Amino acid sequence: MSDIEEKKNSFMTNVHPILSGDVMSARIENVRSQLEWEPSSEKSGWENFVDSFTRVHVEEIDPNLTAAEKIAIKTARSPLKRRLKNRHLQMIAIGGAIGTGLFVGSGSSLRHSGPAGVLIGYFISATFILCVVCGLGELAVEFPVSGGFTTFATRFIDESFGFAANWNYLLGCVCTLPLEMVSASITVNYWGTPKKYRDAFIALFYVVIMGINLFGVKGYGEAEFLFSAIKVTCVIGFIILGIILVCGGGPNGKYIGGTMWKSPNGAFVGENGAQRFKTIMSVFVSAAFAYSGVEMTGLAAAETANPRKSIPSAAKQVFWRIAIFYIVALTLVGLLVSHKDPRLIGTSSADAAASPFVIAIVSHGIKGLPSVVNVVICVAVLSVGNADIFGASRIMVAMVEMGHMPKWTNLDYVDKRGRPLVALGVMAVFGAIAFIAASPKEGEVFTWLLALSGLSALFTWFGIALSHIRFRAALKAQGRGIDELCFASPTGIYGSYYACILIAIIIGLTFWTSLWPYKTAPNATDFFESYLSAPIFIVMYFGHKIYRRSWRLFTPPTEVDIDTGRRETDIEQLKIDIAQEKAEIAAKPFYLRMYKTLC
């Protein structure tokens, strides 16, 4: 099938079934010509450049349709370009999840909970993230629509839940962008850079990140691929080096083994079981901040060339790669660095000198490498900031299409190159908050930005898992089955139930540890620094309920739209194709079948 035919068929799935005949053909040709926009040979280079910023026109929706139908159609026919490949998709997810949370933030977790507490918190988080990512993969393959997972909550759960979840995630992205740029500027302090030059570095990082996103989705994908390759190489190199150091192969020649887990350091922080439990619970918030970004595969689905092929493998492989990088790397960190090391305190949560990776290398007499790790930390924070701009700009487009933002904001403006220009402009304005780096109030601003984004990922993952549960319920209620799915989640609906229950428990227990923190008396500052995202979510959810006067908890499964936006519209042919693919896999050797199942 040619690219033109594929895009034509794709567009046919993005319009309402009431359209047919000449009206359907005219609209297909209109959108196809815009999707196929290329510089004209009859215009000068400057004229083509200016023309590329022209808005793609998409016809208005039939006003007689219901709100749910309008949302489904608008998000399905978004003019965003589909230029991301499988390698881009995998690296985008990895790039969004390997940043300061691993390289720097893990040091704070180690100091507060000990090496065993860190592993318990990050491992349990990894188990429910597997379920979330697999459920997201199933939904994203079936519905590669604008906004990705941010639209699923509105469609499959309830519009009020989707409104609250989307604003919560957007606030997290908006706050994380200046947070990451400030982190990068603090990182350069490792080399003794005077603080008066902090704004100059902020300006440099700001221009680089915004410039990448102005190149469109393909430029973003290539940049993220490069950033992530650097980070992955660094983590693998540290794992190899860490194993050598633990076994006594370092310059000091001293065998380390598990000495850091024994007295007087110990594997946990706390004098009794209750205190240790609280310290472990504090790790879950840090782990959520560190792992946030794995959901980017679902957000990028609308701009992926072949989601049916690339998203399933990306969903499964991303989990294994991140779990291995985090669990193995943090195990080695716990063996090489004492949780009582005063250097773990640092001057801020972005202080590269407080990175346990840097401390581990420095403590064992290796020179030169700490500077390399710090360069990678700079790349990591830029990568995460880059992903935030990409994610937030796409969410803004989807939120206008869903009616969660006013139409007059023009945030759904997408040009002929597939760039959401107005949304990128808004992110540029919020990114300018990073210039407080040279202000004496930097620490306070940094802390509250972190508070706004702290639990954001947990609410997002809960919404994804619940959306998967509601989608399966809608399939069953409408007499459909999972045999028509291009990709069924390996963890199934029970995995999504497990993720929802565990996330709800973590959010509840985080309330307890935030209200009665370890070692300090209850106080408002500590509570809101840890739990600010939760009351914001609650206020937005009930505020939308009151505004819409809609009191039902869930959209009835018989009313859920499970067809609009699907790329595969011939269900019977799809079933035949899936059965053939399963037969081909079954005929392969055991090790290949196992690899296909897991990866």
Side-chain angles (χ1 to χ4, degrees), residues 5 18 34 56 101 120 122 126 147-148 174 226 296 325 353 398 416 445 458 490 530 593:
E5 290 172 333
I18 62 173
Q34 295 179 66
V56 172
I120 292 171
Y122 276 83
V174 166
L226 176 62
M296 292 299 286
F325 293 154
K416 291 183 177 180
V445 175
L458 287 173
S530 302
R593 295 200 306 272

Short mmCIF file of all heavy atoms in Angstrom, two decimals, residues 5 18 34 56 101 120 122 126 147-148 174 226 296 325 353 398 416 445 458 490 530 593:
data_model
loop_
_atom_site.label_atom_id
_atom_site.label_comp_id
_atom_site.label_asym_id
_atom_site.label_seq_id
_atom_site.Cartn_x
_atom_site.Cartn_y
_atom_site.Cartn_z
N GLU A 5 -2.31 6.01 -0.06
CA GLU A 5 -3.45 5.15 0.25
C GLU A 5 -3.55 4.90 1.76
O GLU A 5 -4.64 4.85 2.32
CB GLU A 5 -3.31 3.82 -0.50
CG GLU A 5 -3.51 3.96 -2.00
CD GLU A 5 -3.19 2.66 -2.72
OE1 GLU A 5 -2.38 1.87 -2.21
OE2 GLU A 5 -3.76 2.44 -3.79
N ILE A 18 -21.38 9.02 9.69
CA ILE A 18 -22.48 9.61 8.95
C ILE A 18 -22.01 10.26 7.64
O ILE A 18 -22.80 10.57 6.76
CB ILE A 18 -23.23 10.67 9.78
CG1 ILE A 18 -22.30 11.82 10.16
CG2 ILE A 18 -23.85 10.07 11.02
CD1 ILE A 18 -23.00 12.98 10.83
N GLN A 34 -3.08 18.45 2.62
CA GLN A 34 -2.38 19.18 3.67
C GLN A 34 -1.36 18.29 4.37
O GLN A 34 -0.28 18.75 4.76
CB GLN A 34 -3.40 19.73 4.67
CG GLN A 34 -4.31 20.76 4.03
CD GLN A 34 -5.34 21.29 5.00
OE1 GLN A 34 -4.98 21.95 5.96
NE2 GLN A 34 -6.60 21.00 4.76
N VAL A 56 -2.84 24.41 9.46
CA VAL A 56 -3.58 23.39 8.72
C VAL A 56 -5.06 23.56 9.04
O VAL A 56 -5.44 23.57 10.21
CB VAL A 56 -3.11 21.97 9.11
CG1 VAL A 56 -4.02 20.92 8.48
CG2 VAL A 56 -1.68 21.75 8.68
N GLY A 101 16.17 12.05 38.29
CA GLY A 101 15.61 11.11 39.24
C GLY A 101 16.54 9.96 39.53
O GLY A 101 16.64 9.49 40.67
N ILE A 120 13.59 -1.68 47.47
CA ILE A 120 12.20 -2.08 47.66
C ILE A 120 11.27 -1.08 46.98
O ILE A 120 10.35 -1.46 46.24
CB ILE A 120 11.86 -2.18 49.16
CG1 ILE A 120 12.61 -3.36 49.79
CG2 ILE A 120 10.36 -2.35 49.38
CD1 ILE A 120 12.51 -3.42 51.30
N TYR A 122 11.87 1.19 44.54
CA TYR A 122 11.99 1.24 43.08
C TYR A 122 11.52 -0.06 42.42
O TYR A 122 10.96 -0.04 41.32
CB TYR A 122 13.43 1.54 42.68
CG TYR A 122 13.76 3.02 42.69
CD1 TYR A 122 14.12 3.66 43.87
CD2 TYR A 122 13.71 3.78 41.54
CE1 TYR A 122 14.42 5.02 43.90
CE2 TYR A 122 14.00 5.14 41.54
CZ TYR A 122 14.36 5.75 42.74
OH TYR A 122 14.65 7.10 42.76
N ALA A 126 8.43 -0.52 39.83
CA ALA A 126 8.66 -1.10 38.51
C ALA A 126 7.61 -2.15 38.16
O ALA A 126 7.21 -2.29 37.00
CB ALA A 126 10.06 -1.72 38.44
N GLY A 147 -3.02 13.63 21.68
CA GLY A 147 -3.07 13.66 23.14
C GLY A 147 -2.83 12.33 23.78
O GLY A 147 -2.59 12.25 24.99
N GLY A 148 -2.88 11.24 22.99
CA GLY A 148 -2.58 9.91 23.52
C GLY A 148 -3.36 9.58 24.78
O GLY A 148 -4.59 9.68 24.82
N VAL A 174 4.68 21.56 32.87
CA VAL A 174 5.00 23.00 32.89
C VAL A 174 6.00 23.30 34.01
O VAL A 174 6.91 24.12 33.85
CB VAL A 174 3.71 23.83 33.05
CG1 VAL A 174 4.04 25.27 33.42
CG2 VAL A 174 2.90 23.79 31.77
N LEU A 226 19.55 10.61 20.25
CA LEU A 226 20.95 10.87 20.59
C LEU A 226 21.12 11.05 22.09
O LEU A 226 22.02 10.46 22.70
CB LEU A 226 21.44 12.11 19.84
CG LEU A 226 22.86 12.57 20.16
CD1 LEU A 226 23.88 11.50 19.78
CD2 LEU A 226 23.17 13.88 19.43
N MET A 296 5.40 8.31 27.75
CA MET A 296 5.55 9.11 26.54
C MET A 296 5.30 8.30 25.28
O MET A 296 4.98 8.85 24.22
CB MET A 296 6.94 9.73 26.49
CG MET A 296 7.18 10.80 27.53
SD MET A 296 6.08 12.22 27.39
CE MET A 296 6.77 13.01 25.94
N PHE A 325 18.14 -0.95 34.22
CA PHE A 325 19.02 0.19 34.47
C PHE A 325 18.88 0.67 35.91
O PHE A 325 19.86 0.91 36.61
CB PHE A 325 18.70 1.35 33.51
CG PHE A 325 19.04 1.04 32.08
CD1 PHE A 325 18.36 1.68 31.05
CD2 PHE A 325 20.02 0.12 31.75
CE1 PHE A 325 18.66 1.41 29.73
CE2 PHE A 325 20.32 -0.16 30.43
CZ PHE A 325 19.64 0.48 29.42
N ALA A 353 27.03 17.29 42.61
CA ALA A 353 28.02 16.78 43.55
C ALA A 353 27.40 15.81 44.53
O ALA A 353 28.10 15.00 45.15
CB ALA A 353 28.67 17.94 44.31
N ALA A 398 -4.63 18.69 22.43
CA ALA A 398 -5.72 17.76 22.72
C ALA A 398 -6.73 18.36 23.68
O ALA A 398 -7.94 18.13 23.55
CB ALA A 398 -5.15 16.46 23.30
N LYS A 416 1.71 23.51 8.92
CA LYS A 416 1.83 22.49 7.88
C LYS A 416 2.99 21.52 8.11
O LYS A 416 3.05 20.48 7.47
CB LYS A 416 1.97 23.18 6.51
CG LYS A 416 0.70 23.89 6.07
CD LYS A 416 0.84 24.49 4.69
CE LYS A 416 -0.46 25.14 4.24
NZ LYS A 416 -0.38 25.74 2.89
N VAL A 445 11.51 28.60 45.05
CA VAL A 445 10.80 28.36 43.79
C VAL A 445 11.02 26.93 43.33
O VAL A 445 10.08 26.24 42.91
CB VAL A 445 11.27 29.36 42.70
CG1 VAL A 445 10.61 29.04 41.36
CG2 VAL A 445 10.95 30.79 43.12
N LEU A 458 1.92 9.68 39.37
CA LEU A 458 1.08 8.64 39.97
C LEU A 458 -0.38 8.78 39.52
O LEU A 458 -1.04 7.78 39.21
CB LEU A 458 1.17 8.70 41.49
CG LEU A 458 2.48 8.18 42.11
CD1 LEU A 458 2.51 8.45 43.60
CD2 LEU A 458 2.65 6.69 41.85
N PRO A 490 0.01 -7.96 27.74
CA PRO A 490 0.45 -9.24 28.32
C PRO A 490 0.03 -9.40 29.78
O PRO A 490 -0.17 -10.52 30.25
CB PRO A 490 1.98 -9.17 28.19
CG PRO A 490 2.24 -8.17 27.13
CD PRO A 490 1.13 -7.17 27.23
N SER A 530 5.12 17.65 49.74
CA SER A 530 5.02 16.26 49.32
C SER A 530 3.69 15.93 48.65
O SER A 530 3.61 15.00 47.85
CB SER A 530 5.20 15.32 50.52
OG SER A 530 6.43 15.53 51.16
N ARG A 593 10.14 -17.37 20.44
CA ARG A 593 8.79 -17.13 20.97
C ARG A 593 8.87 -16.41 22.32
O ARG A 593 8.08 -15.50 22.60
CB ARG A 593 8.03 -18.45 21.14
CG ARG A 593 7.75 -19.18 19.85
CD ARG A 593 6.61 -20.17 20.00
NE ARG A 593 6.82 -21.10 21.10
CZ ARG A 593 7.48 -22.26 21.01
NH1 ARG A 593 7.99 -22.63 19.83
NH2 ARG A 593 7.60 -23.05 22.04
#
